[in-house]
Amino acid sequence: MDWGMKNRFSRIIRPNDGRCVMLAVDHGYFLGPTERLEVPYKTIKPLLPFADSIMLTRGILRTSVNPSTDVPIVLRVSGGTSIIGEDLSKETITTSIQEAIKLNVSCLALSIFVGSKYEHQTLVNLANLVDSGEKYGIPILAVTAVGKDMVRDARYLALACRIAAELGAHVVKTYYCENFETVVEGCPVPIIIAGGKKLEKEIDALELTFKAIQDGAAGVDMGRNIWQSDFPVAMIKAVKSIVHENYSVKEAYELFNKEKKKEHKNPALTR
Ligand code: 5RP
């Protein structure tokens, strides 16, 4: 890795502990105004001070994040599909590397859809993006997207993560699953986990985070389980305590309960 790549990478996976709390707010790129992310700046503003990095599209970056921020930007550069369109896997690269450099981003993110109709196209997208990233010293986060009907088991996720790493991704985002340690073992670059759909209770998401870290994840790229909580700031602090301070689930949940007393109910609810 050259200096620029190393420098940017160290802004994503923190060198002091090799961990990362990435706040995911890119959902609108195919889902439109997702619940509690309807007005992005209202969701983002209170959470940004507690995120190690933020993952979003250029449209939301430009309109909803103050350019004076020092939080590293992970720019989603794949898309071109919608939840009501023909096939979610038919993604292409939607933002140029020059634009990403102008936006001063620390990392580029792109989805791959292994096993889907457009698998080949998305894997070639990744390979091309890695080439561009290598040229300009920008690391690539590969997102292992799964279709509605696809099983998120260790065999499938290990396949998708390994392919992402083989094609040159510097970090891979996937889902937690049973036997997750085998997914980590087969992937030579750091793995971070998505939270997935909002779980019923906050403690469930904390448990998910804890288990993923125990099994070798480098951290989270979490969205809905943070900002769809009634107390998102308390939630990101609790997630962070597990990722960076090795809190147990019980300790993190105690922190959540303590912090939620200081927080007004989710401002994204009261637009
Ligand atoms: C959407 C994404 C999201 O960033 C990812 O799924 C993380 O968010 P969540 O924790 O809400 O699942 O890549 O395609």
Side-chain angles (χ1 to χ4, degrees), residues 24-27 29-30 55 76 111 143 173 175 194-197 221-225 227:
V25 288
D26 60 321
H27 303 60
Y29 92 94
F30 74 99
M55 179 196 186
R76 169 173 282 281
S111 292
V143 174
K173 176 171 89 169
Y175 293 92
K197 279 195 183 140
D221 179 14
M222 194 175 272
R224 290 163 289 180
N225 276 288
W227 40 260

